[in-house]
Amino acid sequence: MISIPSPRRLLPLTLIILAITTFYKARPWASSKPRSDHLPLRDEPLTGIRVPIASLDPRFPRTSTTGESPWKELDTTDVKRSVDGHESGSLPTYSAWDQPHLHPHLQDLFGCPTQPNRITGHIRLPQVVRNISMTLRGSREDDDDDDDARDFWNPTVISLPYWSPAQYLVVARILTDGFHQQNVLCEAVACYVGSHEGRGEGEVPCTADDIERLGPAGGMRCVTAPLTLSVPPTPAEHCEGKFGGYVDIPGFHDPRIFWSGRGEPLMMVNTQSRYACFGLWVVDLRALYPPLGELLASSPTTPSLGPLMSFPHLTELTRNPARDRSAMEKNWMMFFDGDESYVQYEISPQHGRAFAKLVGGGFTTTNLTDPEEISCLAESSPPHDRPRWHQATNSLRLVLCDRSDPHCRPNTDNTVFFAIVHRKYSNSLRLPMRYERYVIVWAGASPFRMLGISQHPLLLANETASGWSAAENWDDDDDDGDDDEDHDPEALRRGRPHWAYFTYTVSIAYAWGRKGDEAMWKNTGFLDDDVVLSVGVDDEGQVFASVPARDLLQCLRACPGTRQDSGPKADGL
């Protein structure tokens, strides 16, 4: 006969087992959550740097006047501070701000190795923009008359895996005669001009025809014929009142292409919505361009059918709750923590930022932003003259050390996300006058707090900013203090008082050429990796530039962190 003890006798043992199980699951080394990347991670966290920032003025001046590192300004005690940007004119006054817990590697990014233009406030990077041509490389002159007759603009670019015959995939908008939207795709290579010394394997020298098409700096050119992308029309169920005319605009616009954290080639587009008038939709590019699927299934080192498709069909992204949606949504951005996907909806001085986790089928959680997080953006200019901020590009994941450093090991403490946002100025007719380019950085692990933003807007070597004269754009004080109008004689010799009325950064991607670069690594890079910026010019042209990640993220300003409740928080990045 089997004797069964009474439940009362088992209660102490049950409680002990439950306590041990709870303690074990609470340990970070026992978490079942997927790692944030496929690379080896350290289990022990690094010690962060506590930076006093209570007296930091987070507002952006109309014209930057100093190139001092913020680390020299962040050493005073807590004082009361009112921050511009609240709906009533200013945010509530806080007696203290929580100090951000920063990883030591971030310290280098808060220095300013390049001083800003003393008039415009821009930092000018040494890398030049180069042209993108959609004419087929190697084609005869009479073969591409149709392509030459079309205007391509606002390009978005991703690099392809290392075994691909082509280096890049380009999606560009076409300037049409009417309101309808068209977008084309091609595979492309970037050619270089000059010596082959120091070039990587597979890099392509420019031919005479390339230089004729692209200019003396070379650039990027299609190696497959441009293919018009066909995306099914979407319902416009809530275009009412002043938005009624948007019902009849066919085609999608503002495409962004990027790699997911799992190596999926995705495209986000703006088109009519089921929940508002216009919304954001996502689709896997392999569903639109089958050769890309064949390429990803042909890896010589990791044979597979390619990553599973999270978005095999055009899927609308939602915002929860529905009352938070605008009638015309645009400029959303996705970021990826391992297998988990997030949507960041906005970042603004007035409302801070908002992001949510995708739970499947385009549906999301509610806003996951820490309610105590203070906006990283605030404006010092008066409300009637205040520029607007909006997200511009997709995001990339960045490890805060060099790929070439044998001691560099990615882990959750030294990994962040970054993207480019625009500070948009309009003229008296409310038309865009210039888009200023800033980089934002946020933590690579939950709760994904904002860490920093560029102190000064960034210009590429041969860019100009509208609103200032050519002499002001190219002004760099000599060491002796004398002004020199010919600091960039090449630019001035070309007689370009302004290189473009305005430029718009559409997307960012890690450049082609990294050794053993599988699709799953395309969203993650290191400080010494090059980042390709794809740029639209005056809504009628397209260029790109390749810039080391370290240069893009130079001269950051620390974000305020969170409002302090009962004491400093210690949850790392």
Side-chain angles (χ1 to χ4, degrees):
M1 182 175 180
I2 300 177
S3 176
I4 301 176
S6 67
R8 182 175 299 176
R9 292 183 180 181
L10 294 176
L11 181 60
L13 179 60
T14 302
L15 292 175
I16 292 173
I17 294 174
L18 179 62
I20 293 174
T21 303
T22 303
F23 172 78
Y24 179 83
K25 289 186 175 180
R27 303 297 294 167
W29 39 259
S31 174
S32 60
K33 178 184 175 180
R35 293 289 196 180
S36 59
D37 63 16
H38 301 278
L39 300 176
L41 303 180
R42 298 192 330 149
D43 291 328
E44 69 278 13
L46 295 180
T47 303
I49 297 175
R50 279 284 175 184
V51 185
I53 67 164
S55 63
L56 174 66
D57 189 341
R59 297 175 297 177
F60 284 86
R62 297 191 62 186
T63 300
S64 301
T65 58
T66 176
E68 288 292 318
S69 166
W71 293 86
K72 297 179 181 179
E73 305 172 3
L74 307 184
D75 55 4
T76 54
T77 56
D78 291 345
V79 295
K80 290 187 177 181
R81 174 73 63 187
S82 295
V83 184
D84 289 347
H86 193 255
E87 292 178 358
S88 63
S90 64
L91 287 170
T93 299
Y94 305 115
S95 60
W97 288 352
D98 186 20
Q99 301 168 1
H101 198 163
L102 303 181
H103 187 278
H105 286 292
L106 275 174
Q107 181 169 359
D108 294 338
L109 302 180
F110 283 78
C112 298
T114 304
Q115 293 302 304
N117 181 300
R118 67 185 182 91
I119 297 176
T120 71
H122 290 79
I123 285 180
R124 188 175 296 281
L125 301 176
Q127 293 80 19
V128 300
V129 294
R130 297 186 285 165
N131 287 315
I132 300 175
S133 172
M134 305 300 282
T135 59
L136 190 59
R137 195 167 191 256
S139 61
R140 298 191 310 273
E141 185 173 351
D142 57 354
D143 288 341
D144 47 29
D145 289 342
D146 290 340
D147 287 335
D148 281 348
R150 297 187 292 181
D151 289 323
F152 301 92
W153 55 294
N154 279 13
T156 174
V157 176
I158 56 173
S159 62
L160 295 171
Y162 73 93
W163 67 88
S164 170
Q167 299 170 350
Y168 294 96
L169 202 66
V170 180
V171 172
R173 295 179 67 179
I174 300 175
L175 192 63
T176 63
D177 295 331
F179 289 115
H180 66 286
Q181 307 289 314
Q182 286 188 358
N183 297 265
V184 297
L185 172 150
C186 80
E187 298 176 30
V189 297
C191 68
Y192 66 87
V193 176
S195 171
H196 183 72
E197 185 177 353
R199 303 286 178 179
E201 181 181 355
E203 292 196 51
V204 180
C206 291
T207 64
D209 182 60
D210 290 332
I211 294 174
E212 181 180 351
R213 298 280 186 181
L214 299 168
M220 190 178 296
R221 195 168 175 189
C222 292
V223 293
T224 62
L227 173 72
T228 300
L229 288 175
S230 177
V231 173
T234 55
E237 298 186 5
H238 296 279
C239 289
E240 302 168 348
K242 64 179 180 180
F243 300 113
Y246 289 93
V247 174
D248 299 321
I249 300 179
F252 65 92
H253 59 277
D254 292 344
R256 303 284 189 275
I257 60 175
F258 50 92
W259 294 97
S260 77
R262 301 195 313 171
E264 302 160 285
L266 302 179
M267 181 171 71
M268 183 184 294
V269 301
N270 197 206
T271 187
Q272 286 90 345
S273 168
R274 295 175 298 169
Y275 308 106
C277 183
F278 262 59
L280 282 301
W281 302 67
V282 179
V283 65
D284 195 302
L285 271 172
R286 289 171 290 179
L288 304 178
Y289 186 60
L292 184 55
E294 297 169 8
L295 174 68
L296 297 186
S298 64
S299 169
T301 53
T302 312
S304 71
L305 296 177
L308 294 176
M309 291 190 186
S310 301
F311 303 96
H313 309 289
L314 195 63
T315 303
E316 183 166 12
L317 301 177
T318 64
R319 188 164 182 173
N320 184 16
R323 65 176 178 271
D324 289 344
R325 291 190 69 112
S326 299
M328 302 291 291
E329 290 286 11
K330 61 186 303 185
N331 299 323
W332 291 0
M333 170 176 58
M334 296 178 70
F335 64 95
F336 306 92
D337 183 15
D339 290 336
E340 296 176 344
S341 303
Y342 297 83
V343 182
Q344 185 159 295
Y345 301 109
E346 65 177 328
I347 177 170
S348 69
Q350 293 82 8
H351 308 108
R353 68 170 178 149
F355 74 91
K357 181 180 176 181
L358 279 163
V359 295
F363 295 103
T364 63
T365 64
T366 55
N367 184 16
L368 297 179
T369 306
D370 187 334
E372 300 300 317
E373 182 175 279
I374 300 172
S375 174
C376 199
L377 308 176
E379 292 289 352
S380 59
S381 52
H384 69 274
D385 194 31
R386 187 166 293 167
R388 296 171 55 195
W389 291 85
H390 63 77
Q391 298 176 151
T393 70
N394 56 294
S395 68
L396 291 176
R397 203 159 169 267
L398 177 69
V399 182
L400 296 172
C401 49
D402 288 343
R403 179 183 295 272
S404 57
D405 182 356
H407 302 292
C408 174
R409 295 187 61 200
N411 58 73
T412 53
D413 294 294
N414 69 0
T415 302
V416 298
F417 296 101
F418 74 96
I420 289 175
V421 297
H422 284 146
R423 191 187 193 196
K424 179 182 176 181
Y425 286 84
S426 300
N427 59 23
S428 58
L429 299 177
R430 301 182 64 86
L431 297 174
M433 183 174 73
R434 77 176 170 273
Y435 291 91
E436 291 185 340
R437 180 187 296 121
Y438 290 79
V439 176
I440 57 170
V441 181
W442 65 101
S446 181
F448 305 112
R449 286 184 178 160
M450 291 293 300
L451 301 177
I453 185 169
S454 305
Q455 291 188 49
H456 308 280
L458 302 176
L459 282 177
L460 295 157
N462 50 345
E463 269 188 307
T464 54
S466 60
W468 292 280
S469 68
E472 290 170 331
N473 262 280
W474 301 108
D475 181 276
D476 297 303
D477 276 350
D478 285 330
D479 293 337
D480 60 6
D482 294 333
D483 288 339
D484 181 359
E485 292 184 353
D486 292 323
H487 280 217
D488 194 311
E490 179 189 3
L492 298 180
R493 275 199 308 268
R494 291 184 182 183
R496 297 186 304 193
H498 285 102
W499 178 78
Y501 184 66
F502 67 87
T503 57
Y504 186 103
T505 311
V506 182
S507 67
I508 53 177
Y510 287 112
W512 180 88
R514 304 188 301 187
K515 186 175 181 180
D517 205 10
E518 297 276 353
M520 68 180 70
W521 309 122
K522 283 295 184 181
N523 185 250
T524 300
F526 296 77
L527 285 172
D528 53 350
D529 285 341
D530 282 351
V531 177
V532 171
L533 284 67
S534 57
V535 179
V537 181
D538 289 342
D539 281 352
E540 60 183 24
Q542 52 182 0
V543 296
F544 77 101
S546 186
V547 182
R550 177 180 280 104
D551 290 358
L552 269 182
L553 271 67
Q554 68 172 289
C555 201
L556 295 178
R557 176 181 62 77
C559 291
T562 59
R563 293 187 291 270
Q564 188 171 352
D565 293 328
S566 57
K569 298 176 175 58
D571 45 12
L573 284 174

